């Protein structure tokens, strides 16, 4: 699990989300309210609402589109979470049988980490 999780607040905007995706080269960001996971935003979610490919001035279009939506409107709600004592096999099974690629790790409802398909592949390569 990755422990130093990059997270968004429900009050952040989508431009901040895009900045974080690009700066940290990540594809999934938990959305929190007082460290409690309330949603998940993926880079793909941003791509779905972006019209950047339809114009030469990508930044202006993204700014207009991003200002038309809130994080809460775009994020996935009802996020599947796991705990720190969830086994690697259980986490892999959840991800293998789901349409998403990241699991926030929570303890007493609070975000403490994230497990992604990339994390599982790195673990597999290191240990096998």
């Amino acid at each position: 699990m990755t422990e130093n999780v990059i997270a968004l607040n429900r009050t952040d905007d989508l431009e901040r989300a895009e900045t974080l995706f690009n700066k940290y080269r990540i594809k999934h960001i938990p959305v929190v309210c007082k460290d409690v996971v309330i949603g998940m935003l993926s880079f793909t979610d941003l791509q779905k609402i972006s019209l950047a490919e339809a114009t030469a001035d990508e930044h202006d279009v993204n700014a207009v589109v991003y200002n038309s939506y809130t994080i809460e409107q775009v994020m996935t709600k009802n996020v599947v979470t796991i705990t720190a004592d969830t086994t690697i096999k259980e986490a892999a099974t959840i991800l293998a049988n789901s349409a998403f690629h990241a699991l926030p790790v929570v303890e007493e409802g609070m975000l403490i980490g994230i497990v992604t398909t990339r994390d599982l592949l790195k673990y597999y390569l290191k240990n096998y």
Side-chain angles (χ1 to χ4, degrees):
M1 127 178 124
T2 300
E3 293 180 10
N4 297 323
V5 183
I6 305 302
L8 288 163
N9 252 309
R10 68 187 326 160
T11 57
D12 288 332
D13 59 34
L14 293 172
E15 286 187 79
R16 173 162 168 67
E18 182 180 44
T19 299
L20 293 174
F21 283 125
N22 292 328
K23 180 178 180 180
Y24 294 102
R25 295 181 173 189
I26 55 178
K27 301 291 182 199
H28 308 89
I29 303 177
V31 180
V32 298
C33 181
K34 299 181 182 177
D35 292 327
V36 175
V37 177
I38 61 166
M40 180 72 79
L41 187 70
S42 72
F43 187 69
T44 303
D45 295 331
L46 289 186
Q47 290 176 322
K48 287 178 184 176
I49 64 166
S50 177
L51 304 174
E53 297 164 11
T55 181
D57 197 349
E58 181 177 323
H59 181 73
D60 288 345
V61 170
N62 281 347
V64 170
V65 172
Y66 290 170
N67 288 326
S68 299
Y69 295 94
T70 66
I71 284 183
E72 286 192 273
Q73 289 174 311
V74 179
M75 72 183 188
T76 300
K77 299 164 185 72
N78 302 319
V79 178
V80 175
T81 62
I82 58 175
T83 62
D85 60 353
T86 300
T87 67
I88 293 167
K89 183 177 181 179
E90 290 170 320
T93 300
I94 292 168
L95 292 175
N97 294 316
S98 304
F100 49 85
H101 302 280
L103 293 165
V105 182
V106 297
E107 184 176 293
E108 297 180 15
M110 307 296 259
L111 179 66
I112 63 165
I114 189 168
V115 172
T116 66
T117 50
R118 179 183 290 169
D119 294 326
L120 294 174
L121 286 170
K122 286 180 180 178
Y123 174 84
Y124 179 80
L125 290 172
K126 180 181 174 184
N127 293 288
Y128 297 100

